């Protein structure tokens, strides 16, 4: 264990931005949810009605589980238990692997191990910092909850439950880090275990059989019943789980070589069939794209299921009025809901498209473009091979999203898919911006593209709260897409053609500038 | 003109720093040309200009009779390049990368591919993420040597190879030369270039300081000799071609011109030798001597 303390300091130094950001956001979230719950549902009758509606919605049951008590505290714990464990678990997995297996894969661990650093030190350091961060964020959330008038004891229990969830997945990652030589595979394994755990809890809460929830940290986070009876002893399950897995990870780590894994590295074909730049791009993009397609498909299905009950659940005069204001008289609440959600999701799809669009720049930075471009593959062909996936990818994702949502909702998949695909030209416009930045400011391409998307998000948010109008609003390409599910929507042809033209012009300019500049790795 | 590469007064600046400051380079057809310079001298920058990845700010450059920037795609059909720091696609196997590079270069010889894999002891079924630096380099080398091109551009190709593999690499370069191919080989190690190259260009701080055959550069190469003697070696100081002689008890150090080595060793043998080390001159010593020669 020699050198653990130095490695802890190294981790804190490397993640000096990420760690505080994650801790602060996660610690502030409970107080803000508690405040808004108290504000939205002022009396017990309102809270009971909300709880009853939520419990009759299978999507809510699957996502968040059962509401134990319809108090402000009970609802806050229900709203956040699953989501905070999801976020904390994911961040914990990524952090632990980043400081263990990824370091080994990059060869940096060897450098450290040749110094005075014990065999167990890297794993020990990661397993100190990440769980400590989880516990810290759990403790920091307590004062905010107490300030909202919630009991201190239950708030502490809630904070520790969430911390326990994060720690559990840090321990899972510690084990998967020992199994494979590739950090990507270790990440996939850990996230897969997380998915399985989530599914166990979701199955228990929707299926009416309680015991599977007891097998999953996602279940334990809710089974502590904070604000609804406070079962402190459930925290012991986290402690046992983390202790067993951590001990297992240390035991496994002495049975393998540095940079080796317990599972044999998979071998691939000795000869290749890739024909050129486009074949290579296909190989590089297909995994990510398939992952996104599955994700958006599931998201769409979940939304479709949630929207099913909306028309009856929200059949109150207020919501009918709201629907009429937003969607014209006689608009269905579910159509308004879908239109709004599509708007937000199209921006998520844009994020996925940016990942593809920026891949060419990633290849350039890594130096792999140098090798490929020293062959008869020209720059334009190379850039187009990646751009093709940045343009076709979002078309696939929007179609999958729309079809899945439509099928899960009312079987009119084509109508919903048409509405989602209408966002394609807006997504392309952001891809165009990324391509232009890649051509002219390669070092800032990623920053410029994501900032542009961020600005559009803010503009849209302002629009939603009626805080912006006119010229400011026109900046965002998403604002110009008509909501095709609503009767009042105008003809989509003109705005969509205009957006496509803008996207095309941006991309062409970017490609032309790319041909004129030096390749640069920084 | 028969030159495969011809550069004159090449200038390239990155911001205020000048990477190339009037560099000249001529590589004749069929020769193995050593491109020598310390780290940061501008070797890789020159090669990147040669490959059309960068445009020079000034000077003239032709590659295989064409303009490396304008005619990049056509010219690249006739050359293969191995970068100094080879990075490959982590999810592809070595074999897949070799075949991809071979195919885009217009096909590779399957027999030579198999032969090279065996000689370099490379497992083509491993994913590139699992390869060490040396093995990644081997992937790029196999792809380059197995393809049918006129010019090989190799940027510090042996920096990750062990001595055994370096020997295999040397054999491959000799074979390519016999086939009539031209090789541009950059390195910061003089001895590596010495064994392979017909001609050498030495650059420093973006300028060419020497260019010619190794015999031309002989006046710059002195061997440094350290010996522990049994008896005194008084005759040594009087020999022509012995420089910077220091004697510290039984220990003796000096710099010896290449053609005076025989005489020096004879003199040492007469005195009786307990221990002897000789070292070829390092590049830095060479530069030092070059500047001393220029100052005289």
């Amino acid at each position: 264990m020699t050198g653990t303390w130095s490695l802890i300091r190294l981790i804190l130094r490397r993640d000096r931005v990420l760690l505080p950001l994650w801790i602060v956001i996660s610690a502030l979230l409970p107080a803000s949810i508690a405040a808004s719950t108290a504000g939205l549902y002022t009396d017990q009758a309102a809270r009971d009605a909300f709880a009853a509606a939520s419990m009759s919605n299978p999507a809510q049951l699957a996502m968040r589980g059962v509401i134990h008590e319809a108090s402000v505290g009970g609802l806050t714990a229900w709203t956040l238990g699953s989501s905070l464990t999801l976020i904390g678990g994911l961040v914990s997995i990524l952090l632990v692997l980043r400081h263990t297996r990824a370091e080994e894969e990059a060869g940096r661990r060897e450098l450290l191990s040749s110094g005075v650093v014990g065999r167990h030190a890297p794993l020990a350091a990661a397993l100190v910092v990440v769980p400590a961060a989880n516990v810290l964020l759990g403790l920091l959330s307590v004062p905010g909850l107490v300030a909202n008038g919630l009991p201190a004891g239950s708030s502490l229990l809630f904070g520790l439950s969430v911390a326990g969830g994060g720690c559990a997945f840090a321990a899972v990652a510690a084990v998967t880090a020992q199994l494979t030589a590739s950090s990507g595979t270790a990440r996939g394994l850990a996230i897969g275990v997380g998915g399985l755990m989530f599914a166990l809890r979701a199955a228990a809460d929707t299926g009416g059989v309680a015991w599977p929830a007891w097998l999953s940290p996602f279940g334990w986070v809710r089974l502590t019943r904070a604000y609804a009876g406070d079962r402190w002893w459930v925290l012991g399950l986290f402690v046992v789980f983390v202790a067993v897995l951590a001990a297992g990870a240390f035991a496994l780590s002495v049975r393998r070589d540095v940079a080796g894994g317990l599972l044999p590295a998979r071998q691939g074909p000795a000869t290749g069939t890739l024909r050129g730049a486009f074949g290579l791009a296909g190989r590089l993009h297909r995994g990510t794209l398939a992952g996104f397609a599955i994700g958006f498909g599931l998201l769409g299905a979940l939304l479709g299921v949630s929207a099913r009950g909306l028309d009856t659940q929200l059949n109150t005069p207020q919501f009918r009025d709201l629907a009429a204001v937003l969607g014209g008289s006689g608009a269905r609440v579910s159509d308004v809901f879908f239109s709004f959600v599509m708007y937000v999701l199209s921006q998520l799809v844009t994020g996925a498209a940016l990942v593809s669009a920026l891949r060419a720049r990633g290849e350039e930075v890594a130096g792999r473009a140098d090798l490929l471009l020293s062959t008869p593959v020209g720059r334009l062909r190379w850039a187009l091979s990646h751009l093709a996936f940045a343009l076709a990818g979002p078309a696939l994702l929007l179609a999958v999203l729309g079809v899945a949502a439509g099928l899960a909702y009312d079987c009119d998949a084509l109508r919903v898919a048409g509405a989602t695909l209408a966002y394609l030209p807006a997504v392309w416009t952001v891809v165009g911006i990324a391509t232009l930045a890649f051509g002219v400011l390669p070092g800032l391409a990623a920053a410029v593209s994501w900032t542009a998307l961020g600005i559009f998000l803010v503009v849209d948010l302002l629009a939603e709260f009626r805080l912006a109008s006119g010229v400011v609003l026109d900046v965002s390409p998403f604002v110009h897409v008509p909501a095709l599910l609503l009767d009042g929507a105008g003809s989509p042809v003109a705005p969509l053609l205009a957006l496509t033209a803008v996207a095309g012009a941006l991309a062409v300019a970017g490609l032309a500038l790319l041909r004129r500049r030096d390749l640069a790795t920084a | 003109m028969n030159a495969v590469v011809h550069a004159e007064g090449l200038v390239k600046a990155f911001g205020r720093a000048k990477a190339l400051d009037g560099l000249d380079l001529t590589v004749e057809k069929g020769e193995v040309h050593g491109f020598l310079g310390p780290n940061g001298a501008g070797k890789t920058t020159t090669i990147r200009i040669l490959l059309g990845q960068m445009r020079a700010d000034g000077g003239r450059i032709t590659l295989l009779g064409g303009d490396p920037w304008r005619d990049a795609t056509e010219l690249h059909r006739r050359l293969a390049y191995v970068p100094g720091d080879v990075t490959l696609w982590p999810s592809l196997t070595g074999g897949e990368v070799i075949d991809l590079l071979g195919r885009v270069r217009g096909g590779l010889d399957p027999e030579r591919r198999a032969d090279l894999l065996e000689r370099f002891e490379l497992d083509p079924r491993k994913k590139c993420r699992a390869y060490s630096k040396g093995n990644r380099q081997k992937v790029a080398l196999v792809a380059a040597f197995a393809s049918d091109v006129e010019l090989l551009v190799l940027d510090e190709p042996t920096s990750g190879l062990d001595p055994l593999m370096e020997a295999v690499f040397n054999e491959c370069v000799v074979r390519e030369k016999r086939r009539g191919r031209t090789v541009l080989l950059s390195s910061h190690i003089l001895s590596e270039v010495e064994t392979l190259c017909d001609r050498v260009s030495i650059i420093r701080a973006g300028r060419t300081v020497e260019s010619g055959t190794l015999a031309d550069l002989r006046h710059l190469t002195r061997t440094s000799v350290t010996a522990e003697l049994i008896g005194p070696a008084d005759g040594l100081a009087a020999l022509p071609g012995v420089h910077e002689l220091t004697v510290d008890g039984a220990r003796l150090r000096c710099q010896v011109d290449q053609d005076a080595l025989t005489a020096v060793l004879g003199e040492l043998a007469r005195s009786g030798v307990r221990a002897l080390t000789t070292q070829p001159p390092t590049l830095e010593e060479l530069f030092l001597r070059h500047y001393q020669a220029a100052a005289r």
Side-chain angles (χ1 to χ4, degrees):
Chain A
M1 296 276 183
T2 326
T4 306
W5 178 239
S6 327
L7 290 185
I8 288 175
R9 286 186 12 216
L10 178 66
I11 295 177
L12 294 177
R13 168 70 183 72
R14 286 182 65 198
D15 288 333
R16 65 190 187 285
V17 178
L18 187 69
L19 274 175
L21 202 68
W22 164 48
I23 292 173
V24 167
I25 289 176
S26 301
L28 289 179
L29 215 53
S32 69
I33 293 292
S36 68
T37 306
L40 274 173
Y41 310 102
T42 44
D43 55 7
Q44 193 56 45
R47 288 196 289 270
D48 284 339
F50 171 72
S54 300
M55 285 306 89
S56 62
N57 185 337
Q60 288 283 29
L61 279 172
M63 263 312 286
R64 299 192 159 134
V66 179
I67 296 175
H68 297 306
E69 199 170 305
S71 62
V72 172
L75 289 177
T76 304
W78 168 79
T79 309
L80 284 177
S82 245
S83 339
L84 278 182
T85 309
L86 215 56
I87 298 168
L90 194 64
V91 175
S92 298
I93 287 173
L94 296 179
L95 280 177
V96 166
L97 289 174
R98 168 173 150 84
H99 293 292
T100 55
R101 177 52 73 179
E103 284 294 281
E104 270 185 66
E105 199 182 20
R108 286 190 288 265
R109 159 94 185 265
E110 267 174 272
L111 187 68
L112 284 173
S113 296
S114 61
V116 192
V117 168
R119 178 175 242 318
H120 291 308
L123 184 57
L127 282 183
V128 168
V129 174
V130 178
N134 276 295
V135 171
L136 187 63
L137 77 84
L139 293 179
L140 284 178
S141 66
V142 176
L145 289 166
V146 173
N148 275 290
L150 297 175
S154 301
S155 300
L156 179 62
L157 179 60
F158 171 70
L160 290 177
S161 307
V162 170
C167 294
F169 288 104
V172 167
V175 173
T176 64
Q178 313 307 319
L179 297 181
T180 71
S182 143
S183 59
T185 314
R187 214 157 26 224
L189 276 176
I191 292 173
V193 170
L196 193 70
M197 298 290 191
F198 188 90
L200 278 175
R201 202 232 5 97
D205 285 332
T206 48
V209 190
W211 63 265
W214 286 97
L215 301 177
S216 157
F218 280 103
W220 305 337
V221 171
R222 298 291 300 132
L223 289 167
T224 52
R225 297 183 70 107
Y227 307 106
D230 290 1
R231 285 195 293 216
W232 286 86
W233 61 268
V234 177
L235 288 180
L237 293 175
F238 288 115
V239 177
V240 173
F241 184 84
V242 171
V244 168
L245 288 190
F250 281 113
L252 288 174
S253 79
V254 295
R255 296 176 57 180
R256 65 180 185 84
D257 302 328
V258 171
L262 283 175
L263 305 179
R266 266 186 305 162
Q267 294 211 314
T271 56
T273 51
L274 297 179
R275 293 228 151 261
F278 279 87
L280 176 64
R283 271 293 286 278
L284 298 179
H285 286 272
R286 71 180 182 192
T288 326
L289 210 51
F292 277 128
I294 292 170
F296 279 107
L298 291 175
L299 207 57
L302 199 67
L303 286 171
V305 173
S306 335
R308 262 187 197 175
L310 277 183
D311 285 327
T312 45
Q313 263 179 47
L314 300 182
N315 197 13
T316 60
Q318 294 93 318
F319 270 106
R320 275 200 299 271
D321 288 350
L322 185 69
V325 169
L326 292 172
S329 60
R332 290 201 300 176
V333 175
S334 56
D335 284 347
V336 173
F337 166 79
F338 258 129
S339 303
F340 174 69
V341 167
M342 290 318 149
Y343 196 92
V344 177
L345 286 182
S346 66
Q347 289 170 335
L348 275 186
V349 170
T350 311
L354 276 186
V355 171
S356 296
L358 292 169
R359 183 148 228 151
R361 174 63 189 159
E363 291 280 299
E364 185 185 358
V365 171
R368 293 187 287 263
D370 273 16
L371 188 58
L372 193 65
L373 293 176
S374 75
T375 70
V377 171
R379 273 192 206 190
L380 195 60
R381 193 177 176 76
W382 167 72
L384 279 173
S385 75
H386 289 286
L387 186 58
F389 284 90
L391 296 177
L396 172 76
L397 297 181
L398 287 170
V400 165
L401 177 70
V403 168
L407 284 179
Y409 173 53
D410 60 359
C411 299
D412 192 356
L414 284 183
R415 196 169 77 100
V416 183
T420 54
L421 278 170
Y423 282 96
L424 190 55
V427 177
W428 281 349
T429 306
V430 183
V431 170
I433 291 172
T435 308
L436 180 62
F438 175 52
V440 68
L441 284 170
L444 293 174
V448 167
S449 320
W450 290 107
T451 308
L453 181 58
I455 290 174
F456 298 153
L457 271 169
V458 170
V459 167
D460 296 342
L461 214 64
L462 294 179
E464 194 195 324
F465 289 105
R466 309 256 186 273
L467 292 175
S469 57
V471 187
V472 182
L473 217 57
D474 285 340
V475 168
S476 167
F478 300 95
V479 173
H480 299 284
V481 178
L484 288 184
L485 286 174
L486 306 179
D487 293 333
S491 160
V493 179
L496 296 191
L497 279 181
L499 280 175
T500 309
V502 170
L506 287 168
V508 167
L511 292 174
L513 288 164
L514 169 70
R515 293 184 70 184
R516 300 175 58 86
R517 73 167 170 87
D518 291 349
L519 291 187
T521 50
Chain B
M1 204 162 42
N2 214 13
V4 171
V5 177
H6 185 74
E8 254 180 64
L10 228 46
V11 175
K12 177 76 190 178
F14 298 108
R16 238 186 264 165
K18 267 199 171 166
L20 297 182
D21 190 12
L23 181 127
D24 304 318
L25 176 68
T26 305
V27 180
E28 302 291 344
K29 191 172 161 54
E31 73 175 2
V32 179
H33 193 102
F35 191 37
L36 209 53
N39 293 324
K43 298 189 296 289
T44 300
T45 305
T46 309
I47 288 176
R48 299 193 75 201
I49 290 173
L50 207 57
L51 293 172
Q53 292 170 353
M54 286 182 174
R55 197 155 22 176
D57 298 333
R60 284 188 309 168
I61 183 162
T62 58
L63 167 71
L64 296 163
D67 177 338
W69 177 268
R70 206 191 50 221
D71 314 323
T73 311
E74 287 75 52
L75 294 176
H76 289 176
R77 286 182 210 289
R78 299 161 60 190
L79 64 83
Y81 162 62
V82 176
D85 190 3
V86 183
T87 49
L88 302 171
W89 298 273
S91 57
L92 267 56
T93 66
E96 285 179 301
V97 172
I98 291 171
D99 287 347
L100 170 70
L101 292 175
R103 216 164 263 141
V104 291
R105 281 181 190 138
L108 43 72
D109 183 341
E111 248 170 71
R112 230 174 332 151
R113 178 189 187 274
D115 174 54
L116 286 162
L117 282 177
E118 200 181 302
R119 268 131 103 29
F120 278 112
E121 295 170 16
L122 182 72
D123 180 359
R125 288 171 306 167
K126 264 196 179 178
K127 302 263 176 167
C128 289
R129 73 161 61 85
Y131 283 134
S132 65
K133 175 175 190 219
N135 281 335
R136 289 199 302 272
Q137 214 150 26
K138 288 181 195 172
V139 169
L141 283 171
V142 169
F145 284 135
S147 56
D148 204 11
V149 292
E150 294 165 47
L151 170 68
L152 291 166
V153 180
L154 313 176
D155 191 3
E156 308 208 348
T158 59
S159 53
L161 300 184
D162 59 45
L164 224 61
M165 287 301 136
E166 240 181 279
V168 174
F169 168 79
N170 288 354
E171 280 169 36
C172 290
V173 172
V174 170
R175 211 161 54 157
E176 295 304 309
K177 184 182 145 68
R178 260 193 237 121
R179 280 206 188 98
R181 296 191 183 145
T182 312
V183 180
L184 177 63
L185 174 65
S186 100
S187 177
H188 64 273
I189 306 160
L190 184 63
S191 58
E192 175 179 287
V193 173
E194 238 174 339
T195 50
L196 288 173
C197 297
D198 306 298
R199 288 195 323 128
V200 177
S201 292
I202 302 178
I203 70 163
R204 183 177 156 124
R207 283 170 172 278
T208 313
V209 292
E210 285 280 348
S211 189
T213 65
L214 275 170
D216 292 342
L217 301 181
R218 235 9 132 202
H219 68 283
L220 295 174
T221 60
R222 281 181 199 160
T223 309
S224 82
V225 174
T226 311
E228 233 179 284
L229 301 179
I230 298 167
D234 300 328
L236 212 56
L239 281 178
V242 175
H243 311 268
E244 296 164 47
L245 177 70
T246 57
V247 182
D248 175 18
R251 271 177 87 84
L252 170 147
R253 278 165 194 279
C254 61
Q255 308 279 326
V256 181
D257 285 344
Q258 217 85 33
D259 44 12
L261 266 177
T262 318
V264 168
L265 287 179
E267 189 65 33
L268 291 176
R270 258 193 294 286
S271 318
V273 180
R274 198 171 286 134
L276 178 72
T277 21
T278 62
Q279 273 173 332
T282 65
L283 205 52
E284 284 306 319
E285 283 173 324
L286 210 72
F287 285 128
L288 211 62
R289 223 147 292 143
H290 169 83
Y291 289 117
Q292 282 169 351
R296 227 170 272 147

